[in-house]
Amino acid sequence: AGCQTTSEAASIERAVEAYDAGRYVECHDLAIAAMSNLDRAGRERASYMAGLGALRMGDLDEAEFRLLMAAESEDPAAAGTARASLGIVRHKQDRPDDAARLLAAAEGFGATPRKVRLLVSREGRLQCEAAPLAAAAAISGAEPCCACAIAWS
């Protein structure tokens, strides 16, 4: 296992800042570059940020790969948050049953209901005709805004 330095930790923080500023390619690239010298927890966090960047860029395969790694975190909150994000990926992959399962289970893995709603709200409305995703929304406390969309507030 690598030793996390201040430089690599700063790279993750720069990836977070890039994500928050809407610079998703930069977010992804900074997170990937930082991974090689991080400890396990740092790699999981970097993988999560790379996955979010890839998701926002529309690279669902890369997002899935990175978020699956982050979902195996030993930190329950990190694992839950990664699973919720992976639920968004599954939805975009037109896999509503998997999306519903991941979103509904995210809280059980440690993500707070507020965090799950925040993650989904960043993606805007999840267009959904599948009952399982609507059920996941109800479990997680979402407010449906119409018959086929879920808005998380």
Side-chain angles (χ1 to χ4, degrees):
C3 179
Q4 185 170 337
T5 67
T6 303
S7 176
E8 283 83 24
S11 291
I12 295 174
E13 291 308 312
R14 284 194 305 275
V16 171
E17 291 169 6
Y19 180 86
D20 288 342
R23 299 187 314 268
Y24 306 120
V25 173
E26 181 182 350
C27 167
H28 176 267
D29 293 348
L30 284 168
I32 296 296
M35 281 181 165
S36 63
N37 295 315
L38 295 173
D39 60 18
R40 179 181 172 152
R43 282 191 308 274
E44 290 165 349
R45 183 163 184 225
S47 185
Y48 176 71
M49 290 311 303
L52 288 184
L55 174 61
R56 296 298 291 217
M57 292 184 308
D59 186 345
L60 298 180
D61 291 337
E62 173 70 2
E64 178 180 36
F65 176 73
R66 298 297 172 186
L67 291 170
L68 280 169
M69 291 188 338
E72 297 303 316
S73 177
E74 292 178 354
D75 174 359
T81 302
R83 287 171 190 270
S85 299
L86 191 55
I88 295 166
V89 171
R90 295 286 197 257
H91 178 77
K92 290 178 177 276
Q93 292 171 327
D94 197 27
R95 297 166 63 184
D97 291 339
D98 287 344
R101 181 181 50 77
L102 285 160
L103 288 168
E107 291 174 38
F109 281 93
T112 65
R114 181 180 181 281
K115 182 68 171 179
V116 172
R117 287 190 298 274
L118 177 63
L119 287 167
V120 178
S121 71
R122 284 188 171 182
E123 289 301 311
R125 296 178 184 188
L126 293 180
Q127 296 303 318
C128 173
E129 296 175 2
L133 193 54
I139 291 168
S140 296
E143 296 293 329
C145 65
C146 68
C148 67
I150 299 171
W152 299 60
S153 55

